[in-house]
Amino acid sequence: MHSIYLLGIAGILIFSLSFLIFISQAKLQFQSTCIKESLLLQKSIIQAEKKLFSLNPLSSILSYRMKVAQLQLTAATLAMNFPAIASATAEIARIRQQQIKLDQIQRSLIFMTNSRIAVENLRIQSQINQATSSLSNRWNFFIQTFLIIRSDRISKMAVQARTSGLAPNYELKPNYKVEQAVAFNWQLRYLTRNDSQRFLKSSNRLKLSCGVLPNRNGEIWSAEIQKDKFY
């Protein structure tokens, strides 16, 4: 009788230890996958913004040249200098075409980046789901799990035009950290299977969140990893 009691205690201890290992592994699996993938995505967004902002000097040059050409046209018109009028008009048309081309490049960069972010967001959710499901399958002899993964928001390039008109200068929005954050919430509901409840009966859930935010200090960019919450 005493031996049976000791075996029962040993069974409970072994089961409880295994249960804690599963919880620890599940938490680590989510954290490592989420942080790694979110960091890569955030870095790619930052690189796209660097590329967009690198076009600002060209935007400024074209804007300056347009103002000069318009002043020349005004002066030529007042002086009734028809050759100068024709020259200034042609210059304005050339600059306008260059601005249209630059504007298309800027808008295309923003659109393509935001489209890629949406696709990557779904891919990351799927990867987290696969990683957790693979872990759960290894422990399904005693625990049943239900997984919910969702993103806090679909992040995007948090940029805005700093100047008006075609091919403007671009800058970060004031709330760029929030708008551009790559963040995910993860819930793992679990319960012990019927044949395992003689050792330990448990039904609960894990809730975790992780994310990576952008940070710009002057010309220095960095990515900030959000602290995970564990309930």
Side-chain angles (χ1 to χ4, degrees), residues 71-183:
L71 287 173
Q72 291 173 338
L73 176 60
T74 299
T77 301
L78 291 174
M80 300 293 288
N81 186 337
F82 297 107
I85 291 174
S87 176
T89 300
E91 178 66 8
I92 289 173
R94 283 193 295 269
I95 296 171
R96 178 67 63 186
Q97 287 302 311
Q98 291 174 327
Q99 286 181 318
I100 290 173
K101 183 177 179 180
L102 177 58
D103 191 75
Q104 290 173 341
I105 293 172
Q106 291 170 317
R107 291 179 182 273
S108 177
L109 178 59
I110 295 172
F111 175 79
M112 294 301 294
T113 300
N114 286 334
S115 298
R116 187 172 69 250
I117 292 170
V119 172
E120 283 296 294
N121 191 280
L122 293 175
R123 185 191 65 78
I124 293 172
Q125 291 185 61
S126 177
Q127 187 164 338
I128 295 173
N129 180 72
Q130 290 177 4
T132 306
S133 296
S134 177
L135 174 64
S136 298
N137 289 337
R138 295 200 297 268
W139 291 90
N140 65 3
F141 62 91
F142 79 93
I143 193 168
Q144 187 175 8
T145 58
F146 305 92
L147 183 64
I148 300 174
I149 300 170
R150 64 178 180 84
S151 58
D152 276 356
R153 67 190 61 79
I154 301 297
S155 57
K156 58 183 179 179
M157 288 180 72
V159 296
Q160 62 184 12
R162 188 168 62 199
T163 56
S164 59
L166 277 174
N169 279 194
Y170 280 90
E171 63 183 0
L172 289 172
K173 292 183 178 179
N175 65 334
Y176 74 97
K177 286 190 176 184
V178 174
E179 190 168 322
Q180 195 170 307
V182 180

Side-chain angles (χ1 to χ4, degrees), residues 35-48:
I35 291 175
K36 175 186 175 183
E37 297 300 326
S38 297
L39 188 58
L40 289 174
L41 178 54
Q42 189 61 252
K43 285 182 177 180
S44 72
I45 301 173
I46 290 173
Q47 288 302 316

